[in-house]
Amino acid sequence: MGSTSAENDGKGVGRRDLIKRSAALGLISVPTMSFLSACASGGGDDQEKAEAGEKTAENPLAVNESAGMEFVLFDGGFGKEYAEDAVELYEKAFPKAKVKFSATQKIQSTLQPRFNGGNPPDLVDNSGAEQMDMGVLVGKKQLADLTPLLDAPSYDDPNKKVRDTLRPGIVEMGQFDGDPVWILYYAYTVYGNWYSQKALDSLDAEYPQTWDEMLAVCEKAKKKGMAGWTYAGKYPYYIPFSMSPMIAKVGGAEVLKAIDNLEPNAWKHPAVKTVFEAWYELYKKGYILKGTPGLDHIQSQTAWAKGDALFLPNGSWVENESAKVIPADFGLTVSAPPGIDDNDKMPFGTIWASGGEPFIVPVKAANGAGGMEQLRIMLSEASSKNFTSKVKSLSAYNGGTDGIELTPGLKAGVAALELAGDNVVNPRMQDWYVQLQKEKIGVSCLGEMMAGRLTPAETIKKIQGYADEAAKDSSIKHYKHQ
Amino acid sequence: MKTTETPAPVPAESGTPVHKAEASPGGLEKGKKEGTTLNVFSHGVLVIWAIMVSLPLVWAVMTSFKDDASIFRSPWSLPDKLNFDNWSRAWSQAHMSDYFLNTVLVVGGSLIGTLVLGSMAAYVLARFDFPGNRFIYYLFIGGMSFPIMLALVPLFYVVDNMGLLNTIHGLILVYIAYSLPFTVFFLTAFFRTLPSSVAEAAFVDGASHTRTFFQVMLPMAKPGLISVGIFNFLGQWNQYMLPTVLNTDPDKHVLTQGLVQLAVSQGYKGDWSGLFAGLVMAMLPVLAAYIVFQRQVVQGLTAGALK
Amino acid sequence: MQHGKYRFIVGFLAVPLGLYALFVIWPFVQSIYYSFTDWTGLSPEFSMVGFDNYSRMLDDDIFWKSLWHSVLFALLVPLVTLGLALFFSFMINVGGRKRKGGPVITGVRGSGLYKIVYFFPQVLSIAIVALLFQFAYNPDSGAINSLLRGVGLDSLQPLWLGDPDIALWCVMAVLVWSTVGFFVVLFSAGMASIPAELYEAALLDGASRFTTFFKVTLPLLWDTVQSGWVYMGILALGAESFAVVQIMTTGPGGPDYSTTVMVLYVYQKAFRDGQAAYATTIGVALLVVTLAFAALVMKLGRRERLEY
């Protein structure tokens, strides 16, 4: 086709053509203009805030009765029913308010643009694989201080503040840098060694309290064709659920704090070395279920539930998550990790327990008071009981277990907490430094060590290297235990 | 080679003697023996791959009828009984029927749009010389290499500012835009190979450029359009990242969103049998469509494969 | 011929180009801009930091690992996929036994069936495929190791995805598995339209069937192979490798960074670590790699077009 373009086309342009042409141009340019003025981060146009309502005894947070409230829940292991029930209570309290409730697993991809645009929802359960980085949210001043909620009278007893109805540690966990409380963890998780009491009985063994006893139990199990341990090999950051409290038990809680604070040589503490060597012993003696490094959490839990392995480092959600594969007569139990021997710094029973399911109220929310009121409703005894009976997990509400029948795992969790007393540790690495904890320490070091590809000494050196890197990395916000 | 002159594909089984080969000496005697060895060998290899390809799918179907415990306990055993409740659970939770309809709408609309707009742009770029031609061409081609993930947040604002968020037509426009690079790349090459004589003749007969395109060139490009259409169909049908961000309204979800949602939530609930039922449900219609339209697909590709 | 040419050109290009500029180019330009900032992705505030992100990237070991894996993906996955696909389609179309009175070159019996079966994986989205294989690779009760035990290979029980030495290959194998079928159908179509005379002539010249493949089939299919290579390589650099690595591997990206790829690293930085600006920087690097890959394939692939 002869399109040599030698000829100038200009002379052929008539008036009609001009109009046509400009119309075509307009088609492109009109939308172009409208978004040029508002590019991605061109925020500033924050949404209008709802006016405060009247502050009464029933409405201590002065929620605007007719303002809409939007609640985005992470739709994970706990499902969404418990939250829907709480939303119903909110709607009953504020019949004129329009509540928009949604549940998703894609927290960040759905909400990130809205945080950027200044129109986030009023209450968010920021959890799951796509959890938005809390450190960044706090650092960039995107969250509302929840102190008004904590100081408001509780739902059940007007003479008691919300903060006094919570389990120990919940408020502290929500603090990052001083007094303001940015996060309210709604669930309460007990971490530790999970096992079948029935299997342990069948071995004619007691739960071990020292490492020698642990090795003896594993040996017994091995003779019966059962592995001592398995874990989520593809997500080895489950290992610390049992390993971290053991480090605290052996060397004292300060060791964990130093680790969290990214102090130099924190990992070189002798307690760390002792514990790593103890765990490595499990690998060397062949007490780890064959194939474990290739199993994900579900697969390892299933192998464990069918009796291939005795112990599993995990959190209290395991009861709900693996409900379908845990046999009825399993006798699900959790115990604190054993220590090394009598020279340990902390008593047997030292356990890791802390909040889960972080709820936040964005500072730019239109109806932040509404979001907090929703949380206040969820922290009532009735809602908490509803949560516990529906999802088999404790909530942040201290108590809330009377009068409902506890499942075996829950019962064991409550017992383990009682045994622990004040000896509850709460390592913060997994909230503060996600990449460091999960990917670097978990996958690249602990996972490699338990698969037998790194010795304990090499592991410590590698972890310390990663920790030092993170301490120096200016792109990460650093936190310290208060 | 001109596509229009392509001979009809040799029907493998028809037995119609297309070319008699008896008369040929030497080379063919050798060929006969070799053919037999080759035949045994090729059947062997082909069967092995066929098994490798179909086993996982058969396994998935089988698994969708099992209960959770036996999925892990004995992955290869047949289900003890057919657990149809897996299917009903997945059907009701995953809203498969709604999502299916949404997907058909979105993919149908964007497929047509992609082909029309893509062929218009490709035609102009392939057959007209004008300043900026190369630039625009490479601008389109470059788009193939953009990782979509990077653009998600700014794209969200563009779509939001135009009021197209959570709309089916908004999603269609975005799908078209992201399908254009490969379509333009493929069709430009295709248009270049079409004979220019026909178009010139039409043009001399007084047809406008536009008419020439729609009445002469487009029909000639049909094989290419079918090929690129199939590429795009598969891509758009499986598109996941774009709807996740741009289409958050649960009523307007497409199938992939529903499936991933199902996968994640079943993962949390440990309902693997339900998940497999959902997977099989999602894969069967496409599989059925392929088997039914297989002949057309292959014919379209056959004509378009050699330019 | 020139009458109204420009009007026509503008008319035809305006809508596609406009749409493309609006939804693709503009967001990407913004992204590149962000790579010079310290934007977290979680708040509208940020400031310019110049080339900080780029110098940080060059010092980032994980980035280099992911780059290397991505390059492997772009080169090996298409090579193996297209190689297998060519081989299978040649078998299907040319591997048949010569029947008396039949054409010189025939497909094997049941060629139609093969073409249907091989296409199966293509109808599954890659996410589903990854999910299926995650079960298959389970070292404890997974399909593959159960099968190995079943045939008496108790000693051979690899950790598959849990072993850093083979995890990457396991992941690549899944991509190959799922895409070979599409190219078999594509190439079969191409082979079917090659006139039988060409084969006949080659055979008469004393060529074996295998040499006809290199003398006749491959040259005539070259253009298709080349666009397939570009298409496949770009998928292997982007969306598909993301899905398989993200869903299947340890961590994901492990064990010990043995499977991490650039697109996964972009995702983790943007959607896990709240470092959207750094993520876009890695994205820009990914862009460069992809462009280089496409240019390389087009350059290597350029050759005389065969006319017949």
Side-chain angles (χ1 to χ4, degrees):
Chain A
M1 184 173 258
S3 35
T4 37
S5 85
E7 225 178 74
N8 193 331
D9 195 38
K11 64 185 179 214
V13 183
R15 215 170 129 198
R16 218 187 47 171
D17 294 327
L18 264 179
I19 293 168
K20 263 195 193 164
R21 221 185 271 179
S22 50
L25 270 175
L27 212 74
I28 319 171
S29 54
V30 169
T32 316
M33 298 311 275
S34 70
F35 72 76
L36 265 174
S37 55
C39 64
S41 54
D45 315 338
D46 297 347
Q47 60 189 338
E48 233 169 88
K49 299 226 172 210
E51 278 174 36
E54 198 184 337
K55 189 169 172 173
T56 62
E58 275 82 49
N59 186 7
L61 291 163
V63 178
N64 181 332
E65 289 181 8
S66 56
M69 197 274 287
E70 187 183 354
F71 178 3
V72 177
L73 184 83
F74 168 67
D75 187 4
F78 294 143
K80 54 187 177 184
E81 221 179 312
Y82 76 94
E84 283 168 343
D85 294 344
V87 165
E88 264 177 43
L89 292 176
Y90 185 94
E91 282 169 331
K92 217 176 269 172
F94 304 100
K96 279 185 257 169
K98 200 173 165 247
V99 180
K100 192 176 166 203
F101 172 80
S102 61
T104 176
Q105 285 106 24
K106 314 289 289 178
I107 289 288
Q108 176 142 7
S109 29
T110 8
L111 293 183
Q112 168 171 318
R114 298 187 52 189
F115 270 89
N116 270 290
N119 63 337
D122 304 306
L123 179 62
V124 179
D125 169 14
N126 181 22
S127 190
E130 268 205 13
Q131 179 182 56
M132 294 176 285
D133 192 291
M134 293 289 189
V136 174
L137 287 175
V138 173
K140 291 281 170 182
K141 302 195 173 27
Q142 293 293 311
L143 301 184
D145 180 5
L146 300 176
T147 305
L149 164 69
L150 296 171
D151 288 335
S154 68
Y155 197 79
D156 302 304
D157 181 357
N159 298 319
K160 216 172 173 186
K161 286 182 187 172
V162 169
R163 75 165 71 233
D164 299 325
T165 65
L166 301 179
R167 287 182 189 275
I170 291 287
V171 173
E172 289 71 27
M173 272 189 82
Q175 295 171 327
F176 273 69
D177 39 11
D179 287 335
V181 178
W182 307 112
I183 306 164
L184 194 118
Y185 288 87
Y186 186 65
Y188 196 72
T189 305
V190 180
Y191 303 88
N193 292 353
W194 294 80
Y195 57 96
S196 154
Q197 188 62 49
K198 185 188 159 204
L200 201 60
D201 291 346
S202 78
L203 295 173
D204 214 12
E206 300 268 308
Y207 181 79
Q209 301 204 3
T210 67
W211 202 252
D212 285 339
E213 287 171 29
M214 169 58 81
L215 295 176
V217 172
C218 290
E219 187 59 38
K220 270 187 182 175
K222 194 179 180 183
K223 288 210 173 96
K224 283 209 160 188
M226 187 189 226
W229 287 75
T230 190
Y231 56 90
K234 281 168 85 177
Y235 310 111
Y237 42 85
Y238 278 56
I239 295 173
F241 296 157
S242 168
M243 198 187 247
S244 293
M246 186 168 164
I247 292 174
K249 177 168 166 19
V250 174
E254 317 81 64
V255 186
L256 289 187
K257 285 197 174 149
I259 286 174
D260 284 351
N261 291 344
L262 300 180
E263 283 169 24
N265 294 325
W267 289 90
K268 301 244 166 102
H269 193 281
V272 177
K273 188 156 186 264
T274 314
V275 171
F276 276 21
E277 275 167 355
W279 277 70
Y280 192 61
E281 196 76 4
L282 295 175
Y283 162 77
K284 280 207 302 203
K285 292 216 154 96
Y287 296 153
I288 308 271
L289 176 69
K290 229 175 135 204
T292 293
L295 302 182
D296 69 12
H297 56 304
I298 298 287
Q299 291 162 345
S300 67
Q301 285 158 210
T302 309
W304 161 82
K306 68 176 172 173
D308 290 350
L310 188 55
F311 296 112
L312 178 84
N314 218 312
S316 41
W317 61 79
V318 68
E319 186 171 31
N320 203 33
E321 198 169 66
S322 288
K324 290 198 164 189
V325 289
I326 296 178
D329 60 350
F330 192 72
L332 179 67
T333 314
V334 58
S335 287
I340 297 295
D341 52 33
D342 294 343
N343 298 326
D344 291 350
K345 292 267 173 58
M346 291 173 84
F348 174 72
T350 301
I351 204 164
W352 179 355
S354 64
E357 292 305 291
F359 279 74
I360 51 175
V361 175
V363 74
K364 287 181 183 156
N367 185 9
M372 288 189 208
E373 175 65 17
Q374 177 70 73
L375 268 179
R376 199 176 72 98
I377 292 172
M378 290 170 67
L379 289 168
S380 68
E381 187 173 3
S383 292
S384 165
K385 271 186 181 171
N386 184 36
F387 175 76
T388 302
S389 52
K390 283 223 165 97
V391 307
K392 303 182 189 128
S393 167
L394 297 172
S395 81
Y397 180 83
N398 200 353
T401 52
D402 305 332
I404 49 175
E405 207 190 319
L406 294 181
T407 52
L410 265 178
K411 219 181 280 172
V414 172
L417 282 177
E418 268 165 24
L419 177 68
D422 290 336
N423 297 314
V424 172
V425 293
N426 185 2
R428 300 301 303 277
M429 291 282 273
Q430 59 178 10
D431 320 316
W432 290 351
Y433 310 110
V434 183
Q435 188 194 11
L436 176 64
Q437 172 70 4
K438 291 192 168 173
E439 187 180 301
K440 294 187 168 163
I441 296 176
V443 177
S444 295
C445 298
L446 296 181
E448 292 298 285
M449 179 177 92
M450 292 314 289
R453 294 188 288 257
L454 282 181
T455 65
E458 287 164 347
T459 312
I460 289 173
K461 201 172 154 223
K462 200 168 166 192
I463 293 182
Q464 189 61 56
Y466 281 136
D468 293 344
E469 252 172 50
K472 271 186 263 151
D473 189 342
S474 60
S475 63
I476 309 177
K477 190 155 165 64
H478 298 103
Y479 299 96
K480 292 244 183 302
H481 277 280
Q482 299 290 321
Chain B
M1 174 188 170
K2 307 281 157 53
T3 326
T4 41
E5 292 152 18
T6 305
V10 182
E13 298 296 329
S14 65
T16 340
V18 177
H19 297 283
K20 299 253 179 184
E22 259 114 289
S24 35
L28 278 187
E29 275 312 303
K30 191 181 97 199
K32 202 170 198 172
K33 212 164 133 207
E34 189 189 79
T36 316
T37 336
L38 190 68
N39 187 46
V40 173
F41 175 69
S42 50
H43 263 303
V45 174
L46 290 174
V47 167
I48 289 173
W49 187 259
I51 292 174
M52 280 178 67
V53 164
S54 42
L55 259 189
L57 304 180
V58 172
W59 180 72
V61 174
M62 209 168 78
T63 305
S64 72
F65 287 109
K66 289 170 142 182
D67 59 72
D68 285 296
S70 59
I71 290 179
F72 291 92
R73 237 164 260 171
S74 39
W76 282 107
S77 68
L78 287 167
D80 313 333
K81 63 180 174 64
L82 298 181
N83 291 289
F84 277 106
D85 55 315
N86 296 340
W87 283 62
S88 55
R89 209 166 52 237
W91 180 262
S92 57
Q93 278 174 18
H95 309 284
M96 284 293 173
S97 51
D98 300 348
Y99 294 164
F100 199 78
L101 188 71
N102 289 339
T103 312
V104 168
L105 280 177
V106 172
V107 173
S110 45
L111 199 56
I112 294 168
T114 307
L115 291 181
V116 170
L117 295 180
S119 56
M120 279 160 62
Y123 177 67
V124 169
L125 292 173
R127 309 200 61 124
F128 289 84
D129 203 5
F130 59 92
N133 179 319
R134 291 289 82 186
F135 175 75
I136 294 176
Y137 176 70
Y138 283 113
L139 197 65
F140 272 118
I141 304 305
M144 284 198 293
S145 58
F146 293 162
I148 295 185
M149 196 180 287
L150 262 192
L152 286 181
V153 171
L155 180 66
F156 174 89
Y157 285 97
V158 172
V159 175
D160 191 19
N161 287 331
M162 296 177 69
L164 293 173
L165 214 54
N166 292 332
T167 61
I168 295 279
H169 54 277
L171 206 55
I172 290 177
L173 288 180
V174 175
Y175 273 31
I176 295 175
Y178 279 86
S179 307
L180 279 177
F182 185 73
T183 312
V184 170
F185 165 72
F186 192 96
L187 288 179
T188 307
F190 194 83
F191 277 119
R192 282 200 190 123
T193 62
L194 289 186
S196 43
S197 50
V198 186
E200 268 165 29
F203 202 71
V204 169
D205 283 351
S208 69
H209 281 295
T210 317
R211 259 190 68 190
T212 310
F213 172 72
F214 282 108
Q215 293 188 342
V216 180
M217 298 308 279
L218 215 48
M220 276 169 72
K222 201 171 135 203
L225 290 175
I226 293 179
S227 300
V228 80
I230 291 167
F231 274 103
N232 278 324
F233 171 79
L234 292 170
Q236 292 173 351
W237 184 267
N238 289 328
Q239 179 56 261
Y240 170 62
M241 248 183 282
L242 291 174
T244 301
V245 174
L246 302 178
N247 181 32
T248 51
D249 181 349
D251 292 340
K252 300 209 176 78
H253 273 357
V254 294
L255 213 51
T256 41
Q257 285 176 291
L259 267 185
V260 170
Q261 189 135 342
L262 190 73
V264 179
S265 69
Q266 304 308 64
Y268 282 110
K269 290 176 200 142
D271 183 6
W272 294 96
S273 50
L275 171 60
F276 274 100
L279 292 187
V280 174
M281 240 181 256
M283 102 194 173
L284 284 183
V286 192
L287 202 55
Y290 172 68
I291 291 173
V292 171
F293 294 111
Q294 192 248 356
R295 191 178 296 267
Q296 283 84 339
V297 168
V298 171
Q299 272 171 4
L301 287 176
T302 306
L306 290 181
K307 286 164 276 173
Chain C
M1 276 312 265
Q2 295 303 319
H3 175 73
K5 187 183 115 187
Y6 281 95
R7 194 182 69 192
F8 172 72
I9 291 171
V10 169
F12 261 40
L13 275 180
V15 179
L17 198 59
L19 212 56
Y20 180 66
L22 181 62
F23 290 121
V24 183
I25 301 287
W26 177 236
F28 275 106
V29 170
Q30 289 187 50
S31 289
I32 292 171
Y33 167 73
Y34 289 133
S35 71
F36 297 100
T37 69
D38 64 356
W39 186 45
T40 59
L42 292 171
S43 94
E45 292 115 50
F46 59 83
S47 48
M48 299 297 291
V49 296
F51 281 91
D52 280 10
N53 287 321
Y54 287 88
S55 58
R56 177 179 163 205
M57 182 171 78
L58 296 180
D59 284 338
D60 186 344
D61 291 343
I62 304 172
F63 163 75
W64 288 108
K65 276 185 187 159
S66 64
L67 174 71
W68 169 236
H69 297 147
S70 284
V71 169
L72 281 181
F73 261 96
L75 295 179
L76 293 182
V77 172
L79 185 72
V80 177
T81 308
L82 298 180
L84 277 177
L86 277 170
F87 178 72
F88 290 140
S89 41
F90 188 69
M91 290 287 151
I92 289 178
N93 292 284
V94 185
R97 188 165 16 152
K98 198 181 84 67
R99 282 176 289 280
K100 212 172 169 73
V104 212
I105 294 293
T106 56
V108 292
R109 225 170 249 286
S111 61
L113 186 69
Y114 285 124
K115 276 185 248 171
I116 292 181
V117 172
Y118 285 13
F119 202 75
F120 280 175
Q122 196 63 49
V123 304
L124 300 175
S125 86
I126 191 72
I128 298 178
V129 170
L131 217 58
L132 277 177
F133 271 89
Q134 195 195 333
F135 280 86
Y137 279 132
N138 174 344
D140 177 42
S141 59
I144 299 178
N145 276 3
S146 302
L147 208 64
L148 287 175
R149 276 196 295 269
V151 296
L153 287 167
D154 286 47
S155 55
L156 189 70
Q157 295 280 298
L159 290 174
W160 300 118
L161 297 166
D163 184 339
D165 295 330
I166 54 174
L168 189 68
W169 308 112
C170 294
V171 173
M172 287 186 178
V174 173
L175 273 191
V176 171
W177 179 86
S178 71
T179 34
V180 163
F182 176 75
F183 289 103
V184 168
V185 173
L186 193 72
F187 293 153
S188 294
M191 287 182 193
S193 53
I194 295 174
E197 296 96 330
L198 288 176
Y199 283 109
E200 217 169 278
L203 287 175
L204 278 173
D205 285 349
S208 72
R209 295 219 185 183
F210 268 106
T211 32
T212 60
F213 174 77
F214 290 103
K215 279 196 171 156
V216 182
T217 317
L218 196 56
L220 288 173
L221 277 177
W222 192 253
D223 276 351
T224 317
V225 172
Q226 200 182 331
S227 0
W229 190 298
V230 174
Y231 181 76
M232 187 69 214
I234 284 168
L235 278 185
L237 278 171
E240 305 233 325
S241 68
F242 173 71
V244 283
V245 172
Q246 156 89 354
I247 293 174
M248 289 173 52
T249 65
T250 302
D256 200 13
Y257 299 109
S258 58
T259 56
T260 188
V261 286
M262 285 170 94
V263 57
L264 176 76
Y265 201 37
V266 170
Y267 173 83
Q268 288 177 330
K269 281 290 154 197
F271 290 96
R272 184 192 63 192
D273 299 339
Q275 300 178 10
Y278 188 48
T280 56
T281 312
I282 303 161
V284 170
L286 178 55
L287 190 68
V288 171
V289 171
T290 319
L291 286 175
F293 163 77
L296 188 75
V297 172
M298 300 313 279
K299 182 128 191 144
L300 287 181
R302 186 173 301 156
R303 44 189 278 175
E304 291 307 305
R305 182 179 295 253
L306 251 116
E307 296 279 348
Y308 60 86

